[in-house]
Amino acid sequence: MTSSNTQGRGQAVKSAARTTQNETLTAAGRAGFVARGVVYVLIGALALQIALSSSDGESADRQGALAQVAEQPFGKVMLWAMVVGFASMALWRGTRAVLTRGPQRKAGSRVLDGGRAVFYAFVCWTTAVYAAGGGQGSSGNAQSQDWTASALKLSYGQVLVGAGGCLLIGVGGVLAVRAAMRSFLRQLDTGSMSRRTKQVVTALGVGGGVARGVVFAAAGVFVLVAAVRFDPDEAKGVDATLRSFTQTPAGPWLLVAVAIGLILFGVFSFASARWRRL
């Protein structure tokens, strides 16, 4: 009897520990989606400002978004809250890559989550440096050109840069197609949504996801051009990529459409924080 009671208590402790771990990781994932949403809404708003104004304004990228946050009341507190959010997203993605089991967790999914964990860890670090007073440093456009120039100096650097551009184009295409096909609905708890809420969230996911994919693909095209021409100045960051949309036959209206799409994706991230199956 004593042995059974001891075993039962041990199982109860393990079960409680697993529950606590799951709740912690769920909270981390939701915080991460909120932080991502803030950044995309601000980037979209900055891009919209560029499209509708003759002035350059802030850069329409992550650094510009952080500058906007810093200018708000309690901006420093908000920046550190975003640091926590990005750290939480990195933790959640990393845990999914390493610990999560099941038939759906194939090697490709684990690698993808691992890559996202590294990306969000980098975003967390750069946001923390900014919040601590480290300043913006080089613009996103200058960083893209510097990285491209360094890569082109390597053996087979032109091939590597070209492959990177093709990868970005492919990622952008996949993001846009998956958004258009509404694949994201499988990751959401749509059963707890009302019919109207599901329609709104679906519209946010489709419009936002397609716009996000277009930006990735466009950035990839510029990287590919930089490789073909062996010219790092052809590479562009998010800000310059978005500004390039104003140079198309559609003029600033294409940038307006993409900017609105990025805002929609930011709002969709907030919805993911609420209804994503974590």
Side-chain angles (χ1 to χ4, degrees):
M1 178 69 71
T2 302
S3 177
S4 298
N5 289 339
T6 301
Q7 185 178 9
R9 284 195 296 270
Q11 291 176 345
V13 170
K14 290 180 180 180
S15 177
R18 283 195 297 268
T19 299
T20 301
Q21 182 187 53
N22 289 338
E23 290 176 349
T24 300
L25 293 176
T26 295
R30 299 199 190 287
F33 280 111
V34 171
R36 186 183 76 174
V38 170
V39 170
Y40 270 96
V41 167
L42 290 176
I43 291 176
L46 290 169
L48 193 60
Q49 179 183 350
I50 290 170
L52 300 178
S53 172
S54 58
S55 61
D56 288 340
E58 294 283 357
S59 297
D61 55 15
R62 189 172 65 252
Q63 291 181 336
L66 294 180
Q68 287 289 307
V69 172
E71 292 173 2
Q72 305 307 311
F74 305 104
K76 186 73 72 172
V77 175
M78 294 171 65
L79 284 173
W80 283 111
M82 292 177 66
V83 171
V84 173
F86 289 129
S88 298
M89 180 67 96
L91 172 64
W92 178 65
R93 289 292 185 184
T95 301
R96 280 172 56 87
V98 176
L99 299 180
T100 309
R101 299 287 186 268
Q104 302 300 321
R105 304 300 298 154
K106 297 180 181 179
S109 297
R110 291 178 181 277
V111 170
L112 188 59
D113 274 322
R116 287 170 171 170
V118 172
F119 170 76
Y120 280 108
F122 172 76
V123 172
C124 174
W125 170 254
T126 55
T127 305
V129 170
Y130 189 95
Q136 285 186 261
S138 302
S139 69
N141 300 322
Q143 289 176 359
S144 296
Q145 292 170 357
D146 290 343
W147 293 340
T148 303
S150 298
L152 286 173
K153 293 177 182 178
L154 300 174
S155 299
Y156 303 103
Q158 194 169 11
V159 175
L160 291 174
V161 173
C166 291
L167 178 62
L168 273 176
I169 294 171
V171 168
V174 169
L175 290 175
V177 170
R178 291 187 64 176
M181 295 178 63
R182 306 179 183 182
S183 301
F184 56 85
L185 290 176
R186 295 196 295 267
Q187 300 172 325
L188 301 178
D189 182 15
T190 56
S192 63
M193 300 179 187
S194 67
R195 181 172 175 272
R196 180 60 178 170
T197 298
K198 183 179 178 181
Q199 291 175 339
V200 171
V201 171
T202 300
L204 292 172
V206 171
V210 170
R212 184 184 180 216
V214 167
V215 174
F216 270 81
V221 169
F222 287 120
V223 173
L224 184 59
V225 170
V228 171
R229 296 182 179 177
F230 205 79
D231 182 1
D233 290 340
E234 294 290 344
K236 299 183 185 298
V238 174
D239 176 61
T241 298
L242 289 171
R243 292 175 189 271
S244 70
F245 292 138
T246 63
Q247 301 169 10
T248 64
W253 297 110
L254 178 57
L255 179 55
V256 168
V258 173
I260 292 174
L262 294 178
I263 294 173
L264 292 180
F265 186 78
V267 179
F268 174 75
S269 294
F270 297 144
S272 296
R274 167 64 178 83
W275 285 290
R276 176 77 178 242
R277 290 194 182 95
L278 300 173

